Amino acid sequence: MNSDDNSSPLLSPVANGVPIRLMNKLAILSDAAKYDASCASSGATKRDSLTGSGVGSTEGMGICHSYAPDGRCISLLKVLLTNFCTFDCLYCVNRVSSNVPRARFEIDELVDLVLSFYKRNYIEGLFLSSGIIRDPDYTMEQIVEVARRLREVHDFRGYIHLKTIPEATPELLASAGRYADRLSINVELARPDSLSALAPQKEAGGIRQAMAGIRSKLDESRDRSHSGRKAPGFSASGQSTQMIVGADDANDGELLDCSESLYKGYQLKRVYYSAFSPIPDASAALPLAPPDLNREHRLYQADWLMRFYGFAVDEIVAGGENGMLDPALDPKLAWALKHRERFPVDVNTAERELLLRVPGLGTRGVDRLLTSRRLRRLTLADLGRICGSVARMRPFVVTRDWRPTALLDAGGLRAQLLQGSAQLSLFD
Amino acid sequence: MNRHSGPPTLHTVQLQRPDDFDGWRLIARQHLAAGTLPESLVWEAGEATADLFSEPLSPAEPTVPPNPSRPAAPLPVVPRAFLELARCVACHRAPDRYALLYRVLWRSCHGESGLLDMPSDPDMHRLHILGKCVARERHKMHAFVRFRQTPSVEPEHFSAWFEPEHHTLRLSSGFFVRRFANMHWSIVTPEESAHWNGQTLQFGPGGHRSNNTAPEMMEELWKTYFANIFNPARLKLDAMRSEMPVKYWKNLPEAPLIAELVHNAGARSQQMVEALASDPPRYARRATAPPAQAQAQAQAQAQAQAQAQAQGQGQGHTGNKDG
Ligand code: SF4
């Protein structure tokens, strides 16, 4: 047994009355689920339990009820229904050829666990996924049944995210969407040939087809024009996906191109990037290394620029070298350094699009700046109060009392900013 | 006490509670209408020390002396966002919060009409900082309150002990009502407690940490989840601490695990990286062989095996983690 887990605290002696069997299942099935990055619980339709008989509410913004020492938010009970799987995806801890311990929840056992955790305010809801047992439809039916019981038997109004199995029939996807706030299907790898090499039973075309199916359901449920009244709700907080970073040779440009096409083609809410991480009992075909968390971080920053700051993928990628983002600088700053001719920007006159390109100035800062400057011409100190810190902006902006003449041309600007950026993050 | 020697006369406004936003709003309006200068008001909300020279004014009889030298200003039209901000600021511990709120209102009716929308103004900037602190504390309260079931009580009752940094119990209790409307619960803080019986929300006296309900079995399961959802290969302690500051740890049942998880993380991930690949289990061997038929066969076999294992759970394989 190559399990890494012989030191896990879950095995410390437990108090009387704790059901050991359930505890072991929970340990195995949450351990198996941790490689899915998403734990988001935001964007659901607003609802509460005042009118119902059960528990639960969603108020737009999700809540992180705890944080693991890996810095990740714990918002949902993220588990697999079972980690038995007939597929052999090499990067996955649950693949059929792995020797990890296996377990499977009874449906009611899991339903009770969700409710008990929820009532104690540990979680916002459930993120359920599963290894593929028997066949895709059977597995999907089981997943949907958990959600159905929560909603229909217990009137549970918390958040439900279901990982859907692309090979399952469209009818099952439709009923999954009725109970879930979010659906996701992982594309896993940006390159179709990597997918066939590393996940031989998966099929890039099928994954995209299923995403398109979800998208059209989403469109339908938002479209009132045909019948004049609102269609039944369908996965109100949309669909998301995940890509593994660093399991194949795809560069950042390829990953971001893939994301862009997914956002556009299937109206995804989020693409998650998950640095390929060591797993217990790994495949010999896929050597392990510590996960490249910095690369993952830069990809998230780039993704943000693409979605909220009006950057095109090639602009972002051009900030680095050879299709890879600059590992040392956030991609907006990297872009600005290669486009110094566009700066400095006068914060008292520049248009929104241009302000969004200023390193250190976020979307909220820009909005606040635009209201403030209607009333008076802003100084550097005003800018500091609006945005928190001007340290990184100084070389790139003009204010009533500030103009960076020599700074921007200085050859040492990159080095200087590098030093400063150790503590500063664009997305604070 | 009344001081007749020279203006400005100081008036003390005694608010009912530390977080008495509505009381503040009512009295602030009257003083604005009367043209009372910000400098001549002392706001007290239960925790500040009294100013010796001021004239007490009870909110129950809010008679505001008219100020002849200063004509009443028209009442300002206050943006909704400002009211939201003020409601949060009222829950902050800063003793000058009500004075600051009054001052910006006063300024906005005396020649600075856009002030309430101007985050770059120093007073507004400070209000935003106070408001942000409180909003964050409210959010963390929504996140980190942990209910425990009260033993042998029918219908089910849950209670939580929480120590907020600001006066956020009332501010955050609406959330718990909406979320747990059909549950009976109490949240107790050092200052005040909130109780919901499925129908009404009532507030009572504060309590003591030592009177908190004893830990229950469900916490062991929650800790199991916490320990296993953590990926030791991705240790990022600072990120964790900035989102879940250490001051909250003493009331989080999962927090005592953190030290051990962190301590073992390096060795666990190293072990995973260095471990040699093991032989695939027998039932899977043919799944990796290329011909389609072999694959289908292996899948069928794997599935049969999976089911057999699923039925016989609780013994061999689930115990494997014992190493
Ligand atoms: S289908 Fe592939 S990725 Fe999903 S659980 Fe099975 S082996 Fe893992």
Side-chain angles (χ1 to χ4, degrees), chain B residues 215-285:
Chain B
E216 50 167 342
M217 179 269 280
M218 205 46 74
E219 280 178 13
E220 294 305 316
L221 290 173
W222 170 240
K223 282 152 76 175
T224 301
Y225 178 63
F226 183 80
N228 284 281
I229 202 67
F230 162 59
N231 184 348
R234 300 179 56 105
L235 196 62
K236 261 191 187 174
L237 267 182
D238 288 347
M240 173 204 208
R241 283 202 208 95
S242 79
E243 295 298 338
M244 191 164 82
V246 178
K247 68 177 179 190
Y248 297 108
W249 290 16
K250 63 174 184 283
N251 294 317
L252 293 171
E254 67 272 28
L257 298 182
I258 294 170
E260 192 191 341
L261 289 172
V262 171
H263 179 78
N264 296 333
R268 285 172 68 194
S269 51
Q270 192 63 25
Q271 216 176 317
M272 286 191 280
V273 173
E274 284 168 5
L276 295 176
S278 61
D279 285 338
R282 207 157 12 105
Y283 58 82
R285 246 168 244 164

Side-chain angles (χ1 to χ4, degrees), chain A residues 5 10 25 34 49 54 56-57 59 65-66 69 76 78 88 99 102 120-121 124 281 296 385, chain B residues 120 142-143 146 156 178-179 182 216 225 228 230-231 234 236 254 268 276 278-279 288 313 317:
Chain A
D5 261 333
L10 70 100
K25 278 191 195 182
K34 71 171 95 171
S49 52
S57 63
E59 309 203 338
H65 286 273
S66 193
L76 304 170
K78 179 161 52 175
D88 199 41
N99 282 296
R102 310 275 174 174
R120 285 155 181 83
N121 205 37
E124 291 291 286
D281 200 38
E296 182 190 282
R385 281 189 288 268
Chain B
S120 59
H142 294 163
R146 294 280 185 269
E156 285 185 337
R178 291 187 295 278
R179 174 157 292 193
N182 300 301
E216 50 167 342
Y225 178 63
N228 284 281
F230 162 59
N231 184 348
R234 300 179 56 105
K236 261 191 187 174
E254 67 272 28
R268 285 172 68 194
L276 295 176
S278 61
D279 285 338
T288 48
Q313 257 167 46
H317 55 284

Side-chain angles (χ1 to χ4, degrees), chain A residues 80 85 87-89 91-92 94-96 130-132 188 202:
Chain A
L80 265 58
C85 190
F87 279 28
D88 199 41
C89 311
Y91 47 79
C92 178
N94 306 313
R95 70 192 186 286
V96 67
S130 182
I132 296 172
E188 313 285 16
K202 287 196 177 177

Side-chain angles (χ1 to χ4, degrees), chain A residues 7 73 121 151 184 194 201 233 241 257 262 295 322 355 406:
Chain A
S7 56
C73 156
N121 205 37
R151 293 284 193 237
S184 64
S194 300
Q201 292 103 324
T241 193
D257 275 332
L262 294 171
R295 183 176 175 201
N322 304 323
L355 291 169

Side-chain angles (χ1 to χ4, degrees), chain B residues 23 27 30 48 62 117 122 138 152 159 166 179 194 217 221 227 244 277 287 302 317:
Chain B
I27 295 170
Q30 292 165 348
D117 280 326
R138 169 176 56 183
S152 35
S159 73
H166 301 287
R179 174 157 292 193
M217 179 269 280
L221 290 173
M244 191 164 82
H317 55 284

Side-chain angles (χ1 to χ4, degrees), chain A residues 177-226:
Chain A
R178 257 203 311 282
Y179 301 119
D181 294 290
R182 170 165 291 184
L183 297 178
S184 64
I185 299 174
N186 287 355
V187 293
E188 313 285 16
L189 297 156
R191 289 183 179 170
D193 58 324
S194 300
L195 190 73
S196 38
L198 297 180
Q201 292 103 324
K202 287 196 177 177
E203 211 247 304
I207 292 175
R208 273 161 219 254
Q209 229 166 25
M211 283 180 163
I214 294 177
R215 187 210 159 145
S216 70
K217 287 274 177 203
L218 286 167
D219 290 346
E220 255 170 54
S221 76
R222 272 166 209 153
D223 183 11
R224 297 157 187 250
S225 57
H226 295 301

